[in-house]
Amino acid sequence: MAQKCAACHGTGAPYLAEFNEGKKKFEAVFKGPKMDTYTDLITFVGWPDTGALMRRLDDGKNTSDGKPGNMYQHLGATEEERQNNLNLVREWVGKDAWKLNRWEARGKVPAITKEDLDKIKVKY
């Protein structure tokens, strides 16, 4: 996280609610929502932004169109480095917990289930 994410999601980054209110402004200066503490980071795994970390970092193998998440490219300079770093994050979250579902259904994608939430290894 410190090497690949902190430049945009570290000190000085807005909290999630602030980011959502001024998304275009923050994106223009390469700032994403704050993820520099455990408490901030896990909100993108469990709740309230359920699955966001997984959706953003996914390599496309879990999407219907095969398209990687918009932050996958930042996991490394090479495909090998990206895959290695992705696997580290997957292990941390829990391999069986790598779900792209949100808290609430969106379009054809159902909401995350209690069973899927129970597979998350990180404490949230």
Side-chain angles (χ1 to χ4, degrees), residues 4 72-73 75-85:
K4 302 297 179 189
Y72 177 71
Q73 65 183 332
L75 287 175
T78 66
E79 184 62 19
E80 181 180 10
E81 184 182 11
R82 286 188 290 273
Q83 284 295 309
N84 287 337
N85 287 330

Side-chain angles (χ1 to χ4, degrees), residues 47-95:
W47 186 86
D49 207 358
T50 309
L53 185 78
M54 292 78 102
R55 286 190 300 278
R56 303 285 187 232
L57 295 180
D58 193 72
D59 57 5
K61 293 178 183 168
N62 297 291
T63 62
S64 59
D65 61 4
K67 185 177 174 185
N70 65 331
M71 294 291 124
Y72 177 71
Q73 65 183 332
H74 299 291
L75 287 175
T78 66
E79 184 62 19
E80 181 180 10
E81 184 182 11
R82 286 188 290 273
Q83 284 295 309
N84 287 337
N85 287 330
L86 178 61
N87 285 331
L88 286 173
V89 177
R90 278 187 180 144
E91 285 292 326
W92 177 71
V93 169
K95 280 192 175 188

Side-chain angles (χ1 to χ4, degrees), residues 84-117:
N84 287 337
N85 287 330
L86 178 61
N87 285 331
L88 286 173
V89 177
R90 278 187 180 144
E91 285 292 326
W92 177 71
V93 169
K95 280 192 175 188
D96 293 334
W98 194 261
K99 305 291 181 181
L100 310 186
N101 307 67
R102 292 173 168 81
W103 190 255
E104 296 179 351
R106 183 182 282 186
K108 294 180 182 178
V109 180
I112 195 146
T113 66
K114 167 87 168 79
E115 291 77 21
D116 287 334
L117 288 172

Side-chain angles (χ1 to χ4, degrees), residues 10-63:
T11 305
Y15 288 102
L16 179 60
E18 183 184 5
F19 175 79
N20 286 339
E21 290 174 3
K23 190 174 180 178
K24 290 188 188 294
K25 172 183 79 171
F26 290 115
E27 287 176 341
V29 295
F30 301 102
K31 290 291 178 190
K34 189 177 214 42
M35 295 182 185
D36 64 341
T37 68
Y38 183 85
T39 303
D40 293 325
L41 179 60
I42 61 171
T43 65
F44 300 95
V45 175
W47 186 86
D49 207 358
T50 309
L53 185 78
M54 292 78 102
R55 286 190 300 278
R56 303 285 187 232
L57 295 180
D58 193 72
D59 57 5
K61 293 178 183 168
N62 297 291
T63 62

